Short mmCIF file of all heavy atoms in Angstrom, two decimals:
data_model
loop_
_atom_site.label_atom_id
_atom_site.label_comp_id
_atom_site.label_asym_id
_atom_site.label_seq_id
_atom_site.Cartn_x
_atom_site.Cartn_y
_atom_site.Cartn_z
N ARG A 1 2.02 35.62 8.43
CA ARG A 1 2.70 36.67 9.18
C ARG A 1 2.26 38.05 8.70
O ARG A 1 2.00 38.95 9.50
CB ARG A 1 4.21 36.51 9.03
CG ARG A 1 5.03 37.48 9.87
CD ARG A 1 6.52 37.19 9.73
NE ARG A 1 6.98 37.38 8.36
CZ ARG A 1 7.33 38.56 7.83
NH1 ARG A 1 7.25 39.65 8.56
NH2 ARG A 1 7.76 38.64 6.60
N LYS A 2 2.16 38.20 7.37
CA LYS A 2 1.79 39.50 6.82
C LYS A 2 0.34 39.87 7.15
O LYS A 2 0.04 41.03 7.44
CB LYS A 2 2.00 39.50 5.31
CG LYS A 2 3.47 39.46 4.91
CD LYS A 2 3.63 39.29 3.40
CE LYS A 2 5.09 39.17 3.01
NZ LYS A 2 5.26 38.92 1.55
N GLN A 3 -0.55 38.88 7.13
CA GLN A 3 -1.95 39.18 7.40
C GLN A 3 -2.29 39.06 8.89
O GLN A 3 -3.40 39.39 9.30
CB GLN A 3 -2.87 38.27 6.58
CG GLN A 3 -2.84 36.80 6.98
CD GLN A 3 -3.43 35.88 5.92
OE1 GLN A 3 -3.43 36.21 4.73
NE2 GLN A 3 -3.95 34.74 6.33
N GLU A 4 -1.32 38.57 9.67
CA GLU A 4 -1.46 38.41 11.12
C GLU A 4 -2.67 37.55 11.47
O GLU A 4 -3.46 37.86 12.38
CB GLU A 4 -1.52 39.76 11.82
CG GLU A 4 -0.23 40.55 11.68
CD GLU A 4 -0.15 41.76 12.60
OE1 GLU A 4 -1.19 42.14 13.18
OE2 GLU A 4 0.95 42.32 12.74
N SER A 5 -2.76 36.44 10.76
CA SER A 5 -3.80 35.45 11.07
C SER A 5 -3.50 34.17 10.31
O SER A 5 -2.76 34.18 9.32
CB SER A 5 -5.20 35.97 10.69
OG SER A 5 -5.30 36.11 9.28
N GLY A 6 -4.09 33.07 10.77
CA GLY A 6 -3.93 31.80 10.08
C GLY A 6 -3.89 30.64 11.06
O GLY A 6 -3.61 30.81 12.25
N THR A 7 -4.19 29.44 10.54
CA THR A 7 -4.21 28.25 11.39
C THR A 7 -3.52 27.10 10.69
O THR A 7 -3.51 26.98 9.47
CB THR A 7 -5.65 27.81 11.73
OG1 THR A 7 -6.34 27.46 10.51
CG2 THR A 7 -6.40 28.91 12.45
N PHE A 8 -2.93 26.23 11.52
CA PHE A 8 -2.39 24.96 11.07
C PHE A 8 -3.04 23.84 11.87
O PHE A 8 -3.17 23.95 13.10
CB PHE A 8 -0.88 24.88 11.30
CG PHE A 8 -0.07 25.87 10.51
CD1 PHE A 8 0.48 26.98 11.14
CD2 PHE A 8 0.16 25.69 9.15
CE1 PHE A 8 1.24 27.89 10.43
CE2 PHE A 8 0.92 26.61 8.43
CZ PHE A 8 1.45 27.71 9.07
N VAL A 9 -3.43 22.78 11.18
CA VAL A 9 -3.85 21.54 11.82
C VAL A 9 -3.00 20.42 11.24
O VAL A 9 -2.99 20.20 10.03
CB VAL A 9 -5.35 21.24 11.59
CG1 VAL A 9 -5.71 19.88 12.18
CG2 VAL A 9 -6.22 22.34 12.20
N HIS A 10 -2.27 19.75 12.09
CA HIS A 10 -1.38 18.67 11.67
C HIS A 10 -1.98 17.34 12.13
O HIS A 10 -2.27 17.17 13.32
CB HIS A 10 0.01 18.84 12.28
CG HIS A 10 0.56 20.23 12.16
ND1 HIS A 10 1.28 20.66 11.07
CD2 HIS A 10 0.45 21.29 13.00
CE1 HIS A 10 1.62 21.92 11.25
NE2 HIS A 10 1.13 22.33 12.41
N MET A 11 -2.16 16.42 11.21
CA MET A 11 -2.74 15.12 11.56
C MET A 11 -1.62 14.21 12.06
O MET A 11 -0.85 13.65 11.28
CB MET A 11 -3.47 14.52 10.37
CG MET A 11 -4.54 15.42 9.77
SD MET A 11 -5.77 16.00 10.98
CE MET A 11 -6.66 14.48 11.31
N SER A 12 -1.54 14.09 13.37
CA SER A 12 -0.53 13.24 14.01
C SER A 12 -1.09 11.82 14.11
O SER A 12 -1.90 11.40 13.31
CB SER A 12 -0.17 13.81 15.38
OG SER A 12 0.83 13.04 15.99
N SER A 13 -0.64 11.07 15.09
CA SER A 13 -1.10 9.69 15.27
C SER A 13 -0.74 9.20 16.66
O SER A 13 0.30 9.60 17.22
CB SER A 13 -0.45 8.77 14.22
OG SER A 13 -0.73 7.41 14.49
N THR A 14 -1.57 8.32 17.20
CA THR A 14 -1.19 7.68 18.45
C THR A 14 0.05 6.82 18.27
O THR A 14 0.76 6.56 19.24
CB THR A 14 -2.34 6.83 19.00
OG1 THR A 14 -2.80 5.94 17.98
CG2 THR A 14 -3.49 7.70 19.47
N SER A 15 0.34 6.40 17.05
CA SER A 15 1.60 5.69 16.80
C SER A 15 2.79 6.56 17.15
O SER A 15 3.84 6.06 17.59
CB SER A 15 1.68 5.25 15.33
OG SER A 15 0.73 4.27 15.03
N GLY A 16 2.67 7.86 16.95
CA GLY A 16 3.72 8.78 17.31
C GLY A 16 3.74 9.07 18.80
O GLY A 16 4.80 9.20 19.41
N LEU A 17 2.56 9.14 19.41
CA LEU A 17 2.48 9.51 20.82
C LEU A 17 2.93 8.39 21.73
O LEU A 17 3.48 8.64 22.81
CB LEU A 17 1.04 9.92 21.17
CG LEU A 17 0.48 11.10 20.36
CD1 LEU A 17 -0.97 11.36 20.77
CD2 LEU A 17 1.32 12.34 20.56
N ILE A 18 2.71 7.13 21.32
CA ILE A 18 3.05 6.00 22.20
C ILE A 18 3.92 4.95 21.52
O ILE A 18 4.37 4.02 22.17
CB ILE A 18 1.77 5.30 22.73
CG1 ILE A 18 0.97 4.67 21.59
CG2 ILE A 18 0.91 6.28 23.54
CD1 ILE A 18 -0.15 3.78 22.02
N GLY A 19 4.17 5.09 20.21
CA GLY A 19 4.92 4.07 19.48
C GLY A 19 4.00 2.98 18.96
O GLY A 19 2.87 2.82 19.42
N ASN A 20 4.49 2.22 17.98
CA ASN A 20 3.69 1.13 17.43
C ASN A 20 4.60 0.10 16.77
O ASN A 20 5.64 0.44 16.20
CB ASN A 20 2.67 1.65 16.41
CG ASN A 20 1.50 0.70 16.23
OD1 ASN A 20 1.29 -0.22 17.02
ND2 ASN A 20 0.73 0.91 15.18
N PHE A 21 4.20 -1.12 16.83
CA PHE A 21 4.98 -2.22 16.26
C PHE A 21 5.08 -2.07 14.74
O PHE A 21 4.08 -1.83 14.06
CB PHE A 21 4.30 -3.55 16.61
CG PHE A 21 5.03 -4.76 16.11
CD1 PHE A 21 6.09 -5.29 16.83
CD2 PHE A 21 4.66 -5.37 14.93
CE1 PHE A 21 6.77 -6.41 16.38
CE2 PHE A 21 5.33 -6.49 14.47
CZ PHE A 21 6.39 -7.00 15.20
N GLY A 22 6.29 -2.18 14.22
CA GLY A 22 6.49 -2.14 12.78
C GLY A 22 6.35 -0.78 12.14
O GLY A 22 6.25 -0.68 10.91
N GLN A 23 6.36 0.28 12.95
CA GLN A 23 6.15 1.62 12.40
C GLN A 23 7.16 2.63 12.94
O GLN A 23 6.82 3.78 13.22
CB GLN A 23 4.73 2.11 12.71
CG GLN A 23 3.65 1.41 11.92
CD GLN A 23 2.32 2.14 11.98
OE1 GLN A 23 1.95 2.69 13.02
NE2 GLN A 23 1.60 2.15 10.88
N ALA A 24 8.41 2.25 13.03
CA ALA A 24 9.43 3.18 13.55
C ALA A 24 9.49 4.44 12.71
O ALA A 24 9.61 5.56 13.25
CB ALA A 24 10.79 2.49 13.58
N ASN A 25 9.39 4.31 11.40
CA ASN A 25 9.45 5.47 10.51
C ASN A 25 8.23 6.37 10.69
O ASN A 25 8.34 7.59 10.88
CB ASN A 25 9.61 5.03 9.05
CG ASN A 25 8.64 3.93 8.64
OD1 ASN A 25 7.74 3.54 9.40
ND2 ASN A 25 8.81 3.42 7.43
N TYR A 26 7.06 5.77 10.63
CA TYR A 26 5.80 6.51 10.76
C TYR A 26 5.66 7.13 12.15
O TYR A 26 5.27 8.30 12.29
CB TYR A 26 4.66 5.54 10.48
CG TYR A 26 3.27 6.11 10.53
CD1 TYR A 26 2.77 6.88 9.49
CD2 TYR A 26 2.43 5.84 11.62
CE1 TYR A 26 1.47 7.37 9.52
CE2 TYR A 26 1.14 6.33 11.66
CZ TYR A 26 0.66 7.10 10.62
OH TYR A 26 -0.62 7.58 10.66
N SER A 27 6.00 6.36 13.19
CA SER A 27 5.90 6.86 14.56
C SER A 27 6.81 8.05 14.78
O SER A 27 6.42 9.05 15.39
CB SER A 27 6.23 5.75 15.55
OG SER A 27 5.32 4.67 15.45
N ALA A 28 8.06 7.94 14.28
CA ALA A 28 9.01 9.03 14.45
C ALA A 28 8.52 10.29 13.73
O ALA A 28 8.62 11.40 14.25
CB ALA A 28 10.38 8.62 13.91
N ALA A 29 7.99 10.12 12.52
CA ALA A 29 7.50 11.26 11.76
C ALA A 29 6.31 11.91 12.45
O ALA A 29 6.22 13.15 12.55
CB ALA A 29 7.10 10.82 10.35
N LYS A 30 5.39 11.11 12.96
CA LYS A 30 4.19 11.65 13.58
C LYS A 30 4.48 12.34 14.91
O LYS A 30 3.87 13.37 15.22
CB LYS A 30 3.15 10.54 13.78
CG LYS A 30 2.51 10.06 12.48
CD LYS A 30 1.80 11.19 11.75
CE LYS A 30 0.95 10.72 10.60
NZ LYS A 30 0.29 11.84 9.88
N LEU A 31 5.40 11.79 15.70
CA LEU A 31 5.78 12.49 16.92
C LEU A 31 6.52 13.78 16.57
O LEU A 31 6.35 14.81 17.23
CB LEU A 31 6.64 11.60 17.81
CG LEU A 31 6.95 12.19 19.20
CD1 LEU A 31 5.68 12.54 19.95
CD2 LEU A 31 7.82 11.24 20.00
N GLY A 32 7.33 13.73 15.52
CA GLY A 32 8.00 14.94 15.06
C GLY A 32 7.00 16.02 14.67
O GLY A 32 7.25 17.22 14.90
N MET A 33 5.89 15.63 14.09
CA MET A 33 4.86 16.60 13.72
C MET A 33 4.27 17.31 14.93
O MET A 33 3.93 18.49 14.87
CB MET A 33 3.76 15.93 12.89
CG MET A 33 4.20 15.56 11.49
SD MET A 33 3.00 14.52 10.61
CE MET A 33 1.60 15.65 10.47
N THR A 34 4.13 16.58 16.03
CA THR A 34 3.58 17.23 17.23
C THR A 34 4.57 18.26 17.78
O THR A 34 4.16 19.34 18.22
CB THR A 34 3.24 16.21 18.33
OG1 THR A 34 4.43 15.57 18.80
CG2 THR A 34 2.28 15.16 17.81
N ALA A 35 5.87 17.94 17.73
CA ALA A 35 6.87 18.91 18.17
C ALA A 35 6.93 20.10 17.22
O ALA A 35 7.08 21.26 17.66
CB ALA A 35 8.24 18.23 18.26
N LEU A 36 6.82 19.82 15.93
CA LEU A 36 6.78 20.90 14.94
C LEU A 36 5.60 21.83 15.23
O LEU A 36 5.73 23.06 15.23
CB LEU A 36 6.66 20.31 13.54
CG LEU A 36 6.41 21.30 12.40
CD1 LEU A 36 7.61 22.22 12.20
CD2 LEU A 36 6.10 20.54 11.10
N SER A 37 4.44 21.24 15.48
CA SER A 37 3.25 22.04 15.73
C SER A 37 3.41 22.93 16.96
O SER A 37 3.06 24.12 16.93
CB SER A 37 2.04 21.11 15.93
OG SER A 37 0.89 21.85 16.25
N LYS A 38 3.97 22.38 18.03
CA LYS A 38 4.13 23.17 19.25
C LYS A 38 5.14 24.30 19.05
O LYS A 38 4.97 25.41 19.57
CB LYS A 38 4.54 22.26 20.40
CG LYS A 38 3.42 21.32 20.83
CD LYS A 38 3.83 20.42 21.99
CE LYS A 38 2.68 19.50 22.37
NZ LYS A 38 3.00 18.65 23.54
N SER A 39 6.18 24.03 18.28
CA SER A 39 7.17 25.06 18.01
C SER A 39 6.60 26.16 17.13
O SER A 39 6.88 27.35 17.34
CB SER A 39 8.41 24.45 17.36
OG SER A 39 9.07 23.58 18.27
N ILE A 40 5.79 25.76 16.13
CA ILE A 40 5.11 26.77 15.31
C ILE A 40 4.20 27.63 16.18
O ILE A 40 4.16 28.86 16.05
CB ILE A 40 4.29 26.09 14.18
CG1 ILE A 40 5.21 25.46 13.15
CG2 ILE A 40 3.36 27.10 13.51
CD1 ILE A 40 4.48 24.61 12.11
N ALA A 41 3.47 26.98 17.09
CA ALA A 41 2.57 27.72 17.97
C ALA A 41 3.34 28.76 18.78
O ALA A 41 2.87 29.90 18.95
CB ALA A 41 1.84 26.74 18.90
N LEU A 42 4.51 28.39 19.27
CA LEU A 42 5.33 29.32 20.05
C LEU A 42 5.88 30.45 19.18
O LEU A 42 5.84 31.62 19.55
CB LEU A 42 6.47 28.58 20.73
CG LEU A 42 6.08 27.65 21.88
CD1 LEU A 42 7.26 26.75 22.25
CD2 LEU A 42 5.61 28.44 23.09
N ASP A 43 6.42 30.09 18.02
CA ASP A 43 7.07 31.07 17.15
C ASP A 43 6.10 32.07 16.55
O ASP A 43 6.45 33.22 16.30
CB ASP A 43 7.82 30.36 16.02
CG ASP A 43 9.10 29.69 16.49
OD1 ASP A 43 9.53 29.95 17.63
OD2 ASP A 43 9.69 28.92 15.71
N MET A 44 4.86 31.62 16.27
CA MET A 44 3.95 32.45 15.49
C MET A 44 2.77 33.01 16.28
O MET A 44 1.87 33.62 15.70
CB MET A 44 3.46 31.68 14.26
CG MET A 44 4.60 31.26 13.34
SD MET A 44 4.08 30.97 11.63
CE MET A 44 3.72 32.64 11.08
N GLN A 45 2.78 32.80 17.60
CA GLN A 45 1.66 33.34 18.37
C GLN A 45 1.60 34.86 18.31
O GLN A 45 0.54 35.46 18.40
CB GLN A 45 1.75 32.86 19.82
CG GLN A 45 2.99 33.28 20.57
CD GLN A 45 3.03 32.71 21.99
OE1 GLN A 45 1.97 32.44 22.58
NE2 GLN A 45 4.21 32.51 22.53
N ARG A 46 2.75 35.51 18.11
CA ARG A 46 2.78 36.97 18.03
C ARG A 46 2.03 37.47 16.80
O ARG A 46 1.65 38.65 16.73
CB ARG A 46 4.22 37.47 17.99
CG ARG A 46 4.95 37.22 16.69
CD ARG A 46 6.42 37.54 16.74
NE ARG A 46 7.16 36.59 17.55
CZ ARG A 46 8.48 36.62 17.71
NH1 ARG A 46 9.19 37.58 17.15
NH2 ARG A 46 9.08 35.71 18.43
N TYR A 47 1.83 36.59 15.83
CA TYR A 47 1.11 36.97 14.60
C TYR A 47 -0.32 36.43 14.60
O TYR A 47 -0.97 36.37 13.54
CB TYR A 47 1.85 36.44 13.37
CG TYR A 47 3.29 36.91 13.29
CD1 TYR A 47 4.33 35.99 13.41
CD2 TYR A 47 3.60 38.25 13.14
CE1 TYR A 47 5.66 36.41 13.35
CE2 TYR A 47 4.92 38.68 13.09
CZ TYR A 47 5.94 37.76 13.19
OH TYR A 47 7.25 38.17 13.14
N ASN A 48 -0.81 36.01 15.76
CA ASN A 48 -2.16 35.46 15.89
C ASN A 48 -2.36 34.19 15.06
O ASN A 48 -3.46 33.92 14.55
CB ASN A 48 -3.22 36.50 15.49
CG ASN A 48 -3.15 37.74 16.35
OD1 ASN A 48 -3.10 37.67 17.57
ND2 ASN A 48 -3.13 38.91 15.71
#
């Protein structure tokens, strides 16, 4: 925010995007990361 620049790359997973057998915890976390990323993009676009 102070330098008005920066990037985030979050390593999500198709397990989060579509679900996966035996991975309720991992899938939920990975889909949560995609929502986190989009919210960060919205909140911080004013700071480039």
Side-chain angles (χ1 to χ4, degrees):
R1 185 176 63 84
K2 291 173 183 176
Q3 68 196 27
E4 295 192 347
S5 66
T7 62
F8 296 105
V9 175
H10 314 271
M11 304 306 289
S12 182
S13 172
T14 52
S15 292
L17 301 177
I18 64 171
N20 202 14
F21 182 83
Q23 288 194 323
N25 48 6
Y26 181 77
S27 298
K30 288 301 191 181
L31 187 56
M33 288 170 65
T34 65
L36 172 66
S37 177
K38 291 181 180 183
S39 294
I40 291 172
L42 289 168
D43 286 349
M44 300 204 70
Q45 61 183 333
R46 73 188 71 177
Y47 304 114
N48 300 311

